[in-house]
Amino acid sequence: MEKNILAQMKQEYDSFTRSERKIADYVLKHQKETQYISITDLSAECEVAVSTVSLFCRKLKLAGFNDFKLELARASLPAGGAGQPAEDAPLEDPTVMGRVLHTVQAELNNAYNMLSEPSVTRAVDLLRGAGQVVCLGQGNHAVVALAAWAQFSTTSPKFKTIQDSHMQIVTLSTLSREDVVLYFSYSGATHEVLEAAEVIRGRGARLILVTRYLNSPASAYADTVLLCGPNEQPFQFGSSAALIAQLYVVEVLLSEFIRRDPEGAERSRQSVGKALTQKCV
């Protein structure tokens, strides 16, 4: 029989330290919320150090906090299998197209409400004043970085992207103080984004972080943070809803970037459009 992390915490509760009991108490009381929370936010809620949360997970013989959330999600599934939660049951429209449309609309509304106008203004200030802008992401979010570069490159030649993680670090290590990195990361807590953030800071360049969590580890390195994204379940591993939310942020930044200099953007787009017409039959 597979272990249940909730039962394990209750069984081992007396062996926990006072700080570990704070974590266990919070998780047992907020099982659903903990599935969506970041390690930084959990440490703040429990008033313990991030390292204490990591040690707590390892004490439960887990690889880390993400592994803990996976076990928590598995323990919260209905008996008999991984059926969909009641709150995710089909709505009025029984068709797949209707349900997907409702989900997309809901995520766009959520992205709109999460996004801060002062943060957008600050981000566009950085983009317009940059010598070059490097759009980056890992995994699914590399697709968003590529889309951002494709959109912005039609308005200005200073935008670029790199997909290979090795070449990303090579590029970041040669940035100047006038350069800006636009980085897409749902968690803001992967090894890749933290490594990139440290290199960016070391070069004196600026970082715009698009993430779900304001208090993510990478946010501490960012000059501005653009919040967006749904509450992903641990088993989703990069949902389409998260990508849609980030693409919405790209479109907002692009619109404001163009609004600041419509004539310059139009000249660049006309040049691109004229060149691309040669590719049409």
Side-chain angles (χ1 to χ4, degrees):
M1 180 177 179
E2 291 187 4
K3 68 178 180 181
N4 182 309
I5 197 65
L6 298 173
Q8 184 181 355
M9 282 192 292
K10 293 176 183 178
Q11 182 179 359
E12 300 181 15
Y13 188 85
D14 291 340
S15 68
F16 293 156
T17 66
R18 185 170 62 178
S19 294
E20 290 169 346
R21 288 180 183 180
K22 286 183 178 181
I23 300 171
D25 289 340
Y26 181 89
V27 172
L28 291 171
K29 187 176 180 180
H30 305 90
Q31 295 176 25
K32 182 177 179 180
E33 293 88 338
T34 307
Q35 295 179 43
Y36 305 120
I37 203 170
S38 69
I39 188 172
T40 311
D41 288 338
L42 179 59
S43 68
E45 290 287 348
C46 300
E47 298 181 338
V48 300
V50 171
S51 59
T52 302
V53 179
S54 296
L55 289 171
F56 175 77
C57 296
R58 288 198 288 272
K59 192 168 187 177
L60 294 170
K61 296 180 173 56
L62 298 172
F65 184 62
N66 286 335
D67 195 17
F68 174 76
K69 291 203 295 183
L70 286 174
E71 291 298 328
L72 185 60
R74 184 177 290 113
S76 302
L77 290 174
Q84 65 179 354
E87 62 268 25
D88 294 333
L91 301 168
E92 290 80 4
D93 192 333
T95 67
V96 172
M97 291 188 300
R99 293 200 301 272
V100 171
L101 175 62
H102 180 273
T103 299
V104 170
Q105 289 174 333
E107 292 309 332
L108 286 175
N109 286 333
N110 182 57
Y112 169 78
N113 290 322
M114 290 183 69
L115 200 55
S116 163
E117 188 172 350
S119 296
V120 171
T121 299
R122 173 61 174 156
V124 176
D125 286 344
L126 291 172
L127 294 177
R128 292 216 62 86
Q132 66 172 333
V133 179
V134 185
C135 304
L136 298 180
Q138 297 292 334
N140 286 0
H141 304 295
V143 176
V144 183
L146 183 63
W149 166 74
Q151 290 280 64
F152 277 100
S153 64
T154 64
T155 66
S156 171
K158 65 182 176 182
F159 288 86
K160 63 190 298 185
T161 190
I162 303 97
Q163 298 289 291
D164 180 79
S165 60
H166 179 80
M167 293 308 299
Q168 286 180 0
I169 293 300
V170 170
T171 300
L172 295 179
S173 66
T174 61
L175 294 177
S176 71
R177 293 182 178 275
E178 291 72 37
D179 296 332
V180 171
V181 176
L182 177 60
Y183 206 111
F184 299 89
S185 173
Y186 178 85
S187 69
T190 63
H191 292 296
E192 291 84 359
V193 68
L194 292 175
E195 180 185 20
E198 290 177 356
V199 175
I200 293 166
R201 171 175 285 184
R203 297 297 300 175
R206 303 302 182 89
L207 172 62
I208 301 171
L209 180 65
V210 183
T211 184
R212 172 63 179 81
Y213 301 107
L214 180 61
N215 296 319
S216 67
S219 296
Y221 294 87
D223 293 272
T224 189
V225 177
L226 301 174
L227 290 178
C228 73
N231 286 327
E232 281 192 345
Q233 295 181 5
F235 292 111
Q236 287 183 282
F237 304 113
S239 65
S240 297
L243 301 183
I244 289 170
Q246 292 189 346
L247 287 171
Y248 167 75
V249 174
V250 171
E251 193 64 27
V252 170
L253 293 176
L254 178 66
S255 297
E256 177 61 14
F257 186 87
I258 293 173
R259 190 191 68 80
R260 302 275 188 94
D261 182 19
E263 292 81 8
E266 182 61 25
R267 285 195 301 271
S268 181
R269 285 186 158 182
Q270 284 187 8
S271 178
V272 171
K274 185 175 181 179
L276 289 178
T277 57
Q278 306 303 316
K279 295 202 174 274
C280 296
V281 178

